[in-house]
Amino acid sequence: MPSISPVLRITVGLLLLTLSLLLIGDLLGIVPNQRQAQIDARKVMAESLAIQVTSEIGEKRIEHTTQLLDSIVKRNEHIRSIGLRKKSNELMIQSGDHDKYWEVIGKDQSSDVYVQVPIYGKGSRWGTLEVSFVPFESMWENLFQGRSFLAMLLFILGIGFITFWLFLRRVLS
């Protein structure tokens, strides 16, 4: 049975120690969660849009509201469609083929793809703004874009191994 060199054993040990520290940091929440940041940004965007739509509807500018929603869908690659639904469940305004992209999750429930924001007028609920976003990319798609925690772990695994091995071989010779 071939013996494993001390340099290789120490390299593997240091590499596993480094990866363990990164995983513990992720577990403790020290590593930023990009997906949660994207979800929060979608929520803020939908709420800001709801405020704008509430103002337009309050001033009875339906045509202007339709143009606004169309413009937002055309300019934002992350939004597939927007709909403004009355309390009676009638779809008053839609932009970006909302019937095709909207999926009802439940009353006043939102997800990372389907966001609902209640619209109020004159002290009572008037309707709901529905925003359908493009679904997030899968973990594997993010891996190949190099913007994921897994991609960082794989980078540390590969480059860290080579770096540790070369350093220890030089130091321990």
Side-chain angles (χ1 to χ4, degrees):
M1 182 168 162
S3 66
I4 299 173
S5 74
V7 171
L8 185 60
R9 285 187 292 186
I10 295 171
T11 299
V12 170
L14 285 173
L15 190 60
L16 292 175
L17 182 63
T18 303
L19 291 176
S20 298
L21 290 173
L22 288 171
L23 290 171
I24 290 170
D26 185 45
L27 183 67
L28 293 175
I30 296 170
V31 177
N33 186 342
Q34 286 183 337
R35 186 177 178 113
Q36 188 59 50
Q38 289 174 327
I39 290 171
D40 292 343
R42 287 180 174 192
K43 181 178 156 185
V44 167
M45 184 187 313
E47 289 172 352
S48 298
L49 183 58
I51 291 169
Q52 179 70 30
V53 167
T54 300
S55 173
E56 297 295 328
I57 294 296
E59 296 181 21
K60 309 254 190 276
R61 296 193 298 198
I62 304 301
E63 184 64 33
H64 188 264
T65 306
T66 303
Q67 291 172 356
L68 173 71
L69 297 181
D70 286 341
S71 174
I72 289 170
V73 169
K74 286 177 187 170
R75 289 175 164 231
N76 193 320
E77 62 188 21
H78 300 290
I79 296 178
R80 293 192 297 188
S81 69
I82 302 173
L84 183 60
R85 195 173 301 274
K86 288 184 175 180
K87 189 176 180 181
S88 64
N89 210 27
E90 170 194 350
L91 191 60
M92 182 178 162
I93 300 172
Q94 71 170 326
S95 181
D97 202 8
H98 193 65
D99 287 332
K100 176 182 173 185
Y101 292 119
W102 183 253
E103 185 177 304
V104 178
I105 309 168
K107 186 168 176 63
D108 293 336
Q109 292 183 349
S110 295
S111 70
D112 57 352
V113 176
Y114 306 105
V115 178
Q116 299 182 63
V117 182
I119 304 284
Y120 292 93
K122 297 180 184 176
S124 65
R125 181 153 181 180
W126 181 87
T128 306
L129 179 73
E130 304 169 342
V131 183
S132 174
F133 289 95
V134 174
F136 288 120
E137 296 163 338
S138 71
M139 178 180 70
W140 298 111
E141 289 170 337
N142 277 339
L143 176 65
F144 294 116
Q145 292 178 355
R147 297 281 182 213
S148 71
F149 183 68
L150 182 59
M152 183 181 71
L153 288 177
L154 291 175
F155 174 79
I156 296 290
L157 184 67
I159 301 302
F161 179 82
I162 294 168
T163 305
F164 287 151
W165 185 74
L166 289 173
F167 176 75
L168 287 172
R169 198 177 85 177
R170 171 84 177 177
V171 168
L172 297 177
S173 64

